[in-house]
Amino acid sequence: MSGFDETLLDDPDDTVRVRFVVNGRKVACEVAPRETLVDCLRNALELTGTHAGCEMGACGACLVQLDGRAVHSCLIFAVQADGAKINTIEGLTESGVIADLQAEFHRRNALQCGFCTPGMLVNAHELLSQVARPSRDEIRDALSGNYCRCTGYEAIVDAIDAVAKARKEDGGAT
């Protein structure tokens, strides 16, 4: 007899009800206790702009805003985000707050396959929300948690830098 109490094991069929405000809309989902936020967003809510990449928090493809901060949704269980306000790339796009970033990414060809682009945009949005006119080194540092296989990053840095300059000239407007 090992002394192990098997009743402590989670039943894989057990679910927990979680509630969020996602992109301004109140939602509720039934999730397994160990389901990640990225999986909940993609599978239950069909918000597929948030990508599941490395599932270790290293690539940045899964970035979302959780209560106003960019977080790796692959590292957070959905139950941990219960009651939170979440903005995905879809919500940021619909609200128009990243329209200038998206246009500049497009103009400068700062995206190619597009897999990393949502995370890059979430990260760029957070950076420009905190630092109105970041240096190119600050931009590179902010993007250090985002992995891109296609662009070589220079066009991405150029795009963010151009938006920061334009916003500064426009008095900080987005």
Side-chain angles (χ1 to χ4, degrees), residues 4 21 30-31 34 58 62 64 76 81 102 134 138 142 149 157 172:
F4 181 73
V21 176
E30 293 290 328
V31 298
R34 292 189 174 118
C62 68
V64 298
I76 297 172
Q102 289 172 307
E138 289 173 310
R149 294 177 184 232
V157 173

Side-chain angles (χ1 to χ4, degrees), residues 51 61 109-118 147-152 156:
H51 296 148
N109 199 29
L111 50 102
Q112 289 186 20
C113 80
F115 191 81
C116 71
T117 306
Y147 185 71
C148 176
R149 294 177 184 232
C150 301
T151 66
I156 295 168

Side-chain angles (χ1 to χ4, degrees), residues 5 13 27 37 53 57-58 81 88 105-106 127-128 135 149 167-170:
D5 183 357
D13 294 327
V27 298
L37 182 57
T88 67
F105 267 57
H106 184 269
L127 172 65
L128 296 180
S135 69
R149 294 177 184 232
R167 287 182 181 182
K168 186 86 168 158
E169 290 170 6
D170 291 342

Side-chain angles (χ1 to χ4, degrees), residues 49-61:
T50 303
H51 296 148
C54 68
E55 297 186 26
M56 298 184 310
C59 73

